[in-house]
Amino acid sequence: PHAAAWASACRGYAASGEESDVVVIGGGPGGYVAAIKAAQLGLKTTCIEKRGALGGTCLNVGCIPSKALLHSSHMYHEAKSSFAHHGVKFSNLEVDLPAMMAQKDKAVSGLTKGIEGLFKKNKVEYVKGFGKLVSPSEVSVDLVDGGSTIVKGKNIIVATGSDVKSLPGVTIDEKKIVSSTGALALTEIPKKLVVIGAGYIGLEMGSVWNRLGSEVTVVEFAPDIVPSMDGEIRKQFQRMLEKQKFKFMLKTKVVGVDTSGSGVKLTVEPAAGGEQTVIEADVVLVSAGRVPYTAGIGLDAIGVETDKGGRVLVDNRFMTNVKGVYAIGDAIPGPMLAHKAEEDGVACVEFIAGKEGHVDYDTVPGVVYTHPEVASVGKTEEQVKASGVAYQVGKFPLLANSRAKAIDDAEGMVKVISEKETDRILGVHIMSPGAGEIIHEAVLALQYGASSEDIARTCHAHPTVSEALKEACMNTYDKAIHM
């Protein structure tokens, strides 16, 4: 009877040719990288993507378009507030929002088409449609162009990513109440923007609109912004954002939303309870985090285990409890970051191909792309202290860095934490222009178990902002020269 039921379920499907070695559900940073790597390792590979464009949230409505708008808005802000100081004067500065959005859209479409090109080059079969597991070796796909098909694979990788976390009682319409997706596509600059959630996404999107003229208020339930950040860096970061005219309402919860008027009225109260107040906004951005996109894709039908948060449980080879079914990226536990998903994807297919894969989750860098940027890798001082290890800290302010002073962009610092006995680096935290680029020197150092003295004795080009990392390392095991 089971076989008969399965046969009847398959009627009306066009089977997609022969069985693949690897079928990837999801074409985001984890999925498309896994598909390309699998093909490079000689495995017949199919990638299924429901969006009709590759690159996932990151490329279409996340990391890439947000960086485009962060860069464009920074250029406008610099022109408005800094150019005259550098001897560049002009009149009649204005924002052309449609042109700014067009530049962002052009970058996105060029990159998504680039991934399609990489699929063709590596002979990855690309199926556009919504994939759902119907057995441990079969995925039914509702095709974007209509109709359905069955894709068969010896190994299936769930790379379905994550979705915006909704808040109870707050309905996202992507017009007045927006997610990060809507915040990337506003058609006019809101006079007042309220951001619910002080994580990196909210602060980045808040920065874009703040620079373009919005009055930005950030409402956060927790006592701190970006809770994963080193405490000392966080305090300085918050001060810097306040200097940029951000307003923060911490330890505050949203208890009511009224969208009946032209704008939005939010009723808020202290997190611990207390007197309610109403704040008005033209647009409200909900950025309370992300949740795994794992419901409705057939996991329960084939018995794949997930945790309470919907994350797929995997072993150290990325395999689920169902043989032949794997999961990577935002769909499994760990930091919800595109670059982490890429590492998962490569390691997962290496295991499938009979090789050894490896991801070191202790050396995954995190970056907040505000200005200045904040980047970190390894442990915060709070985490090191809690572990009971004796440690030492070295810091260096950007005010003492010649390149930062020369370009008149010297807000920030570098902080290095190393083990007292061995001087092995445990964590590096940077707040500076270009911190997201500089951090990789620290990532490499942690990967190879380097000491602060190793970096301090490595020649750094002068003048560069990177010298601040060298000086912070000098200050960790000995003394900095320039302070």
Side-chain angles (χ1 to χ4, degrees):
H2 182 75
W6 172 238
S8 87
C10 287
R11 279 191 206 114
Y13 284 105
S16 103
E18 57 191 282
E19 185 178 43
S20 293
D21 295 313
V22 175
V23 173
V24 184
I25 307 174
Y32 90 72
V33 167
I36 291 170
K37 186 66 182 174
Q40 288 173 347
L41 290 171
L43 302 169
K44 182 173 162 49
T45 308
T46 301
C47 183
I48 301 162
E49 169 54 55
K50 73 182 172 79
R51 201 185 293 268
L54 294 163
T57 294
C58 170
L59 182 38
N60 291 279
V61 290
C63 338
I64 301 300
S66 64
K67 297 316 151 292
L69 290 184
L70 279 159
H71 184 65
S72 300
S73 60
H74 179 62
M75 289 171 88
Y76 168 72
H77 188 260
E78 286 288 278
K80 190 179 171 193
S81 59
S82 304
F83 276 19
H85 182 58
H86 289 273
V88 181
K89 294 187 178 178
F90 49 84
S91 54
N92 206 21
L93 176 70
E94 62 179 17
V95 177
D96 181 347
L97 195 58
M100 198 178 276
M101 292 294 176
Q103 192 278 329
K104 170 206 72 170
D105 294 341
K106 186 182 173 193
V108 168
S109 84
L111 286 164
T112 54
K113 287 188 179 77
I115 302 170
E116 281 199 45
L118 290 171
F119 271 17
K120 287 193 182 96
K121 180 186 166 191
N122 289 283
K123 298 185 173 54
V124 174
E125 189 186 346
Y126 173 28
V127 178
K128 295 182 185 181
F130 183 91
K132 192 173 179 178
L133 286 150
V134 287
S135 87
S137 59
E138 282 150 319
V139 182
S140 73
V141 185
D142 291 333
L143 299 167
V144 167
D145 295 335
S148 1
T149 186
I150 290 277
V151 179
K152 298 180 179 182
K154 292 172 191 157
N155 301 281
I156 294 174
I157 301 173
V158 176
T160 47
S162 60
D163 205 351
V164 172
K165 184 181 184 179
S166 57
L167 286 173
V170 183
T171 308
I172 293 170
D173 60 12
E174 298 299 14
K175 289 182 179 67
K176 288 201 282 191
I177 299 180
V178 300
S179 68
S180 52
T181 304
L184 289 163
L186 297 178
T187 51
E188 54 185 69
I189 299 162
K191 195 167 176 303
K192 290 185 177 179
L193 172 71
V194 171
V195 179
I196 303 174
Y200 68 96
I201 297 171
L203 297 179
E204 286 179 10
M205 293 316 304
S207 285
V208 167
W209 298 106
N210 170 56
R211 292 167 190 167
L212 298 178
S214 299
E215 211 178 280
V216 178
T217 303
V218 181
V219 178
E220 171 57 57
F221 183 80
D224 298 304
I225 67 169
V226 201
S228 58
M229 204 178 268
D230 180 88
E232 185 179 9
I233 297 283
R234 185 199 299 122
K235 279 196 186 76
Q236 196 167 336
F237 181 43
Q238 187 176 330
R239 274 200 302 273
M240 184 271 299
L241 290 172
E242 284 167 344
K243 215 161 139 186
Q244 293 175 13
K245 307 257 184 342
F246 269 75
K247 288 183 190 143
F248 289 98
M249 297 177 74
L250 304 175
K251 297 186 191 168
T252 303
K253 65 179 170 185
V254 176
V255 290
V257 181
D258 177 9
T259 55
S260 59
S262 59
V264 184
K265 287 181 179 173
L266 288 180
T267 306
V268 297
E269 68 178 33
E275 196 181 332
Q276 296 187 346
T277 50
V278 174
I279 47 177
E280 294 187 22
D282 299 292
V283 174
V284 173
L285 164 60
V286 178
S287 62
R290 298 186 65 83
V291 289
Y293 188 93
T294 53
I297 58 165
L299 295 176
D300 45 356
I302 65 164
V304 172
E305 286 177 3
T306 58
D307 68 10
K308 278 183 190 160
R311 289 177 291 253
V312 181
L313 299 173
V314 293
D315 63 16
N316 58 6
R317 300 171 79 85
F318 300 96
M319 202 195 287
T320 67
N321 61 307
V322 176
K323 194 175 183 316
V325 179
Y326 299 78
I328 60 168
D330 287 6
I332 68 171
M336 286 183 163
L337 297 167
H339 43 284
K340 177 264 191 189
E342 290 186 29
E343 298 302 318
D344 283 357
V346 170
C348 178
V349 296
E350 283 174 335
F351 284 127
I352 289 171
K355 298 177 180 295
E356 278 302 311
H358 176 68
V359 184
D360 184 351
Y361 294 116
D362 291 332
T363 59
V364 175
V367 185
V368 186
Y369 296 89
T370 46
H371 190 87
E373 293 179 352
V374 182
S376 63
V377 66
K379 292 182 164 55
T380 63
E381 186 172 354
E382 290 76 14
Q383 288 170 329
V384 175
K385 196 177 275 179
S387 74
V389 172
Y391 67 95
Q392 53 203 11
V393 176
K395 293 174 237 179
F396 192 79
L398 252 67
L399 277 168
N401 175 268
S402 56
R403 179 71 183 275
K405 289 295 281 182
I407 62 172
D408 192 26
D409 200 353
E411 277 199 278
M413 67 182 283
V414 179
K415 177 176 178 178
V416 176
I417 306 159
S418 79
E419 199 175 356
K420 200 171 182 81
E421 195 184 341
T422 63
D423 189 35
R424 185 170 63 91
I425 299 171
L426 301 172
V428 175
H429 308 276
I430 305 171
M431 184 168 116
S432 79
E437 304 293 341
I438 300 166
I439 196 66
H440 297 107
E441 181 180 356
V443 176
L444 200 58
L446 258 78
Q447 194 71 58
Y448 281 89
S451 65
S452 71
E453 188 175 355
D454 288 330
I455 292 183
R457 291 191 181 276
T458 301
C459 186
H460 287 58
H462 174 78
T464 57
V465 179
S466 298
E467 287 176 286
L469 175 57
K470 174 189 166 88
E471 292 263 13
C473 285
M474 290 172 89
N475 206 23
T476 305
Y477 85 97
D478 191 16
K479 284 188 172 71
I481 298 289
H482 293 98
M483 64 174 263

